[in-house]
Amino acid sequence: MLPTEMLSIDITTPGGPEVLRPRTIAVPQPGPGEILIRVAGAGVNSPDVQQRRGRYDPPPGASPILGLEVGGVVVALGEGASRYALGEQVVALCNGGGYAEFVAVPEGQVLPLPTGWGLLAGAALPETFFTIQQTLVLRAGLSAGMNVLIYGAAGGLGGAAISISRVYGARPIAIVSSPEKAAYAESLHAAATIDHRRENVLERVRELTDGRGADRIVDIVGGQNLEQNLEAVALEGVILQLATLGGGLAEINAGKIVAKRLSILGSTLRPQPREVKAAIADSLLAKVWPALNEGRLVPPRLKYFSLEEAAAAHEEMEKREHFGKIVLVTRFGESFR
Ligand SMILES: NC(=O)c1ccc[n+]([C@@H]2O[C@H](COP(=O)([O-])OP(=O)(O)OC[C@H]3O[C@@H](n4cnc5c(N)ncnc54)[C@H](OP(=O)(O)O)[C@@H]3O)[C@@H](O)[C@H]2O)c1
């Protein structure tokens, strides 16, 4: 018998981490094609911080509760949902609502927990793996032998980019800001690291790619970094602009885009329709889940907070020194620590 009420995290008003407060609300009902998951852990992502600050509103129809990914157990099936059985351990990309003890998710956005992975490590996979699978693989055509330059490589998105590059036989080159982060990126199997505070990024990229430049660049910095990327990218390369942590405006030489026959690709995952997210899930299941199931990918470094400690988790997330992933653990999830 499921409870009727659950603990969730509410944003009292947009602002700092302190606006995140525990609140008891009704357990959601799974709609048609949805499944209800009892959440063990919810991954914390940078877009959650943006939403808390009032700078990233949920798309129409999505839960206003934070939380874009969870690991947990299937406890109820909505009408027509048939892919998963009650009691199955799963991970899911949510449209919101993950910072709670239960969440309803379209079944196409749910994937089985990889073999040998705990529910809490699994909770830290979907948001970044869906983002990188769609942009780097499905849209930018990642393939074996490519040099992939990855900014923020010790962060959530960067770690996923290293792992997925390896799955496809590409060569991930990790850009980080400290020796500690470099060691972490290497532990995820980065082929090489560049410390942007201590080394000349362009010189190192040329050295590491025999002067060709990077075939794909995963950038979350934006701003004037774009000018550097136009230098660092190889002929016919693709620059993926997934965030603009360093600012949105850039003065660039557009002639380089022409002369190098470049593509610049932007994306935001969350507002996309459920059919698109389901297609990404199918691609992950076919191509990346075998590597996870065979233990070929290293789980991210995890830092745990209880669900009630969401404010402290956000404080940690906002520290530049933070690396790996942060997971909020529910009372149910405590036994999986
Ligand atoms: N487009 C999409 O669909 C999508 C999906 C998910 C996330 N995102 C966005 O991607 C970005 C990264 O997400 P994440 O989850 O990987 O975050 P994260 O785990 O906090 O990592 C961010 C990394 O960015 C680097 N960085 C570079 N410039 C920075 C700056 N000005 N301030 C802070 N960090 C900076 C840092 O690495 P160093 O200190 O080593 O440089 C940091 O480790 C966020 O802006 C997020 O909103 C976009």
Side-chain angles (χ1 to χ4, degrees), residues 46 127 131 155-157 177 181 196 220 242-243 245 267 269 320:
S46 284
E127 166 69 8
T131 300
L157 214 52
S177 59
K181 288 185 175 183
H196 67 80
I220 53 165
L242 300 184
L245 286 169
S267 184
L269 178 65
R320 181 89 182 241

Side-chain angles (χ1 to χ4, degrees), residues 253-329:
N253 178 355
K256 293 223 175 77
I257 302 174
V258 180
K260 285 185 157 183
R261 303 192 291 277
L262 302 179
S263 304
I264 301 178
L265 178 161
S267 184
T268 48
L269 178 65
R270 191 178 186 187
Q272 298 185 54
R274 60 165 73 179
E275 297 74 26
V276 172
K277 292 176 182 173
I280 304 169
D282 289 345
S283 171
L284 281 168
L285 192 60
K287 303 286 187 194
V288 178
W289 250 237
L292 291 166
N293 289 332
E294 289 160 17
R296 286 191 276 129
L297 297 182
V298 180
R301 169 191 189 254
L302 298 175
K303 190 152 188 180
Y304 299 123
F305 291 84
S306 70
L307 181 61
E308 293 90 331
E309 293 171 327
H314 273 220
E315 268 172 34
E316 178 70 17
M317 185 77 189
E318 289 179 86
K319 289 181 190 155
R320 181 89 182 241
E321 313 85 66
H322 137 83
F323 60 92
K325 291 275 300 191
I326 296 170
V327 174
L328 300 177
V329 184

Side-chain angles (χ1 to χ4, degrees), residues 52-181:
R52 190 206 72 218
R53 290 177 180 157
R55 293 190 205 142
Y56 190 49
D57 288 337
S63 167
I65 296 170
L66 293 180
L68 299 173
E69 60 184 359
V70 297
V73 173
V74 178
V75 288
L77 303 173
E79 190 193 323
S82 58
R83 284 196 191 188
Y84 296 92
L86 295 179
E88 207 165 331
Q89 294 193 327
V90 294
V91 302
L93 178 76
C94 312
N95 299 325
Y99 288 17
E101 291 181 296
F102 295 87
V103 63
V105 186
E107 67 170 353
Q109 294 168 214
V110 179
L111 286 158
L113 180 70
T115 310
W117 281 59
L119 275 178
L120 301 181
L125 287 176
E127 166 69 8
T128 56
F129 272 58
F130 272 72
T131 300
I132 295 298
Q133 187 71 7
Q134 184 188 33
T135 53
L136 186 58
V137 176
L138 297 174
R139 292 183 62 198
L142 178 70
S143 65
M146 284 183 174
N147 285 303
V148 183
L149 189 64
I150 302 164
Y151 287 87
L157 214 52
I162 293 175
S163 291
I164 290 181
S165 295
R166 279 302 190 190
V167 170
Y168 283 81
R171 198 164 163 263
I173 300 172
I175 303 189
V176 292
S177 59
S178 70
E180 199 185 18
K181 288 185 175 183

Side-chain angles (χ1 to χ4, degrees), residues 156-229:
L157 214 52
I162 293 175
S163 291
I164 290 181
S165 295
R166 279 302 190 190
V167 170
Y168 283 81
R171 198 164 163 263
I173 300 172
I175 303 189
V176 292
S177 59
S178 70
E180 199 185 18
K181 288 185 175 183
Y184 173 64
E186 278 165 15
S187 77
L188 296 178
H189 299 152
T193 60
I194 302 174
D195 185 331
H196 67 80
R197 290 201 172 131
R198 293 164 182 81
E199 296 177 283
N200 181 308
V201 173
L202 271 181
E203 274 174 20
R204 288 278 287 138
V205 170
R206 289 190 186 118
E207 195 180 292
L208 290 163
T209 61
D210 296 328
R212 280 189 333 135
D215 303 291
R216 300 290 180 266
I217 299 183
V218 180
D219 184 37
I220 53 165
V221 181
Q224 275 317 118
N225 224 33
L226 185 53
E227 182 65 26
Q228 175 169 285
N229 288 340

